[in-house]
Amino acid sequence: MSCLSSCCASLACGCCTSVASGISKRSARLAYCGLFGVSLIFAWILREVAAPFLEKLPWINTSTHSKEWYQISAVLRVSLGNFLFFAALALIMIGVKDQNDRRDAWHHGGWIAKMIIWLLLVILMFFVPNIVIKIYGFLSKFGAGLFLLVQVVILLDFTHTWNDAWVEKDEQKWYIALLAVSIACYIAAYTLSGILFIWFNPSGHDCGLNVFFIVMTMILAFAFAVIALHPKVNGSLLPASVISVYCAYVCYTGLSSEPRDYVCNGLHNKSKAVSTSTLVLGMLTTVLSVLYSALRAGSSTTFLSPPSSPRAGASKPLLESEEVESGKDKKEAEARPVSYSYTFFHLIFAFASMYSGMLLSGWTSSSESSELIDVGWTSVWVRICTEWITAGLYIWSIVAHLILPDREFS
């Protein structure tokens, strides 16, 4: 048995070493996404199996707790370790503007050490007192809210970038494609809204709150199109349609998170299946948002680029031609500014760690069955508020230049 364990340990070490050595500077961002994905799977597994183990730890089992309390504790401890790992990297990378900075190598390399540090942090979190986890759970609600806000900004950036890319081609087939995708998205948005009426407004019950949420979603979708196509706005239908689908999806996740004993939740008979699907979709959305932000880092947006970056939109050249020709300031001539902010990059992962912890723990609500995930009125209002904030930010993004004509919006 010990021989088998040694073989497994050596094989795991060998795999980690080969993976770490194969991570290049170009693939470092994907590697961080992979590490984040592993942490999500690890937290999910511990949520299902760690409760009996935590009950045996005297510094955790200080009083009588339910099974769900131990599940939430396991998730938050993994989330805290993950958060500390990325938050520490964010602090270390503050002020990195040039690739010649030693910290640039820390950001892209040293993966074996990073994996060990990440694992140690996660393990150490199972030795901290419960009060620390309680405080972290409270703070995570705000951190998760910030991540949802960043997620919305990323979505807006994606839709406008997609629209601009097709418009710049200036060919009829691409305009037809824009129209086709926009119509398809609007059909999907209103079809989903109709289905929500069937699921969450059962006959014989007064479900005014659910009807309000669904009708508001449909009104917002219509308003997006009207505002975007207004002559003064001169916007496009594609971003409006994509945001409409997203708002309808967020409305669905909010309504499906209603308590299972709520008469207006027509999915209560399929509670386990809905809980699992909501979790999978939520995790997939989180991973895609983090992955997109990681890949988008270094684009033309100032959102992720430091002031010294050539992608930050600075009109002044990085090197004056006279200095280069005269041979002066040779170090400046050899300078290679970083293409994105490493600090902001790691902050995205830190806040995503908080959000994933809230998602897996049902926003630390223990009022529902331990078999259900992300269920309760807290989850409902978080989703609905996210939808409304998304709508507000999108409308602002297309009318801001009319309200503040003296300011430049890029």
Side-chain angles (χ1 to χ4, degrees):
M1 187 68 180
S2 60
C3 181
L4 179 61
S5 301
S6 300
C7 291
C8 291
S10 61
L11 180 62
C13 291
C15 290
C16 291
T17 303
S18 60
V19 169
S21 61
I23 297 174
S24 64
K25 200 166 186 177
R26 291 179 177 273
S27 61
R29 284 177 283 183
L30 289 177
Y32 283 113
C33 290
L35 185 60
F36 178 76
V38 169
S39 71
L40 295 184
I41 297 173
F42 189 45
W44 194 349
I45 292 174
L46 288 183
R47 184 188 186 278
E48 301 300 323
V49 303
F53 170 73
L54 295 182
E55 291 177 356
K56 298 177 181 179
L57 301 179
W59 58 89
I60 295 179
N61 188 9
T62 55
S63 60
T64 304
H65 298 294
S66 64
K67 176 185 176 182
E68 187 184 13
W69 186 89
Y70 290 105
Q71 291 178 323
I72 292 175
S73 180
V75 169
L76 291 181
R77 289 172 189 273
V78 175
S79 173
L80 178 56
N82 217 32
F83 170 80
L84 291 177
F85 175 77
F86 287 110
L89 286 174
L91 290 174
I92 292 172
M93 298 299 161
I94 291 177
V96 177
K97 299 180 179 180
D98 193 282
Q99 295 183 36
N100 294 322
D101 193 311
R102 181 180 298 178
R103 291 173 294 173
D104 180 84
W106 298 351
H107 174 71
H108 293 100
W111 282 99
I112 296 178
K114 287 177 184 175
M115 291 177 183
I116 294 174
I117 293 172
W118 170 80
L119 185 59
L120 288 176
L121 281 174
V122 172
I123 294 174
L124 286 174
M125 293 308 103
F126 286 87
F127 293 91
V128 301
N130 292 331
I131 185 63
V132 175
I133 303 302
K134 184 177 181 180
I135 294 173
Y136 173 73
F138 175 77
L139 295 177
S140 290
K141 294 180 179 180
F142 298 95
L146 285 175
F147 175 75
L148 286 173
L149 181 61
V150 171
Q151 192 178 72
V152 170
V153 174
I154 290 171
L155 176 65
L156 292 173
D157 175 65
F158 169 75
T159 56
H160 288 299
T161 302
W162 181 9
N163 180 78
D164 293 343
W166 282 13
V167 170
E168 286 176 359
K169 296 180 184 296
D170 197 20
E171 296 180 17
Q172 185 178 5
K173 63 179 182 180
W174 292 108
Y175 289 121
I176 294 175
L178 276 172
L179 181 61
V181 172
S182 300
I183 293 175
C185 286
Y186 263 108
I187 291 175
Y190 278 100
T191 301
L192 179 57
S193 297
I195 294 174
L196 295 182
F197 267 113
I198 299 173
W199 287 350
F200 299 100
N201 185 33
S203 59
H205 299 286
D206 182 13
C207 302
L209 183 61
N210 285 2
V211 171
F212 170 72
F213 290 155
I214 300 170
V215 171
M216 180 62 69
T217 299
M218 299 176 72
I219 292 175
L220 287 174
F222 179 74
F224 294 157
V226 172
I227 297 173
L229 297 179
H230 194 278
K232 290 186 178 181
V233 175
N234 195 25
S236 175
L237 198 59
L238 178 63
S241 64
V242 174
I243 298 298
S244 298
V245 171
Y246 179 75
C247 286
Y249 160 73
V250 174
C251 184
Y252 158 72
T253 59
L255 295 176
S256 64
S257 295
E258 290 177 338
R260 297 307 177 231
D261 57 356
Y262 184 49
V263 294
C264 293
N265 187 349
L267 300 179
H268 61 276
N269 293 327
K270 303 175 181 177
S271 58
K272 184 64 183 294
V274 172
S275 178
T276 302
S277 64
T278 301
L279 173 67
V280 172
L281 287 173
M283 284 299 181
L284 183 61
T285 304
T286 302
V287 171
L288 289 177
S289 299
V290 172
L291 180 62
Y292 180 76
S293 66
L295 298 178
R296 185 64 174 161
S299 68
S300 60
T301 60
T302 58
F303 190 59
L304 293 172
S305 300
S308 65
S309 171
R311 302 178 184 269
S315 58
K316 184 178 179 180
L318 293 172
L319 298 173
E320 299 292 342
S321 58
E322 292 130 357
E323 290 180 356
V324 175
E325 290 175 1
S326 62
K328 294 180 180 180
D329 298 326
K330 185 177 181 180
K331 290 185 179 180
E332 288 188 15
E334 295 176 352
R336 297 177 297 163
V338 298
S339 59
Y340 61 95
S341 170
Y342 297 162
T343 294
F344 181 82
F345 175 82
H346 290 295
L347 280 178
I348 289 288
F349 285 94
F351 289 134
S353 300
M354 286 183 159
Y355 174 71
S356 62
M358 292 295 97
L359 191 65
L360 279 168
S361 65
W363 296 83
T364 65
S365 173
S366 58
S367 59
E368 291 289 333
S369 168
S370 62
E371 298 297 319
L372 304 178
I373 298 174
D374 198 24
V375 172
W377 286 111
T378 303
S379 297
V380 173
W381 282 107
V382 167
R383 304 296 187 187
I384 296 301
C385 290
T386 299
E387 177 192 351
W388 294 344
I389 292 173
T390 300
L393 286 177
Y394 169 69
I395 293 174
W396 173 256
S397 71
I398 59 178
V399 303
H401 66 283
L402 298 176
I403 300 175
L404 300 173
D406 295 332
R407 294 193 59 181
E408 180 181 352
F409 297 92
S410 55

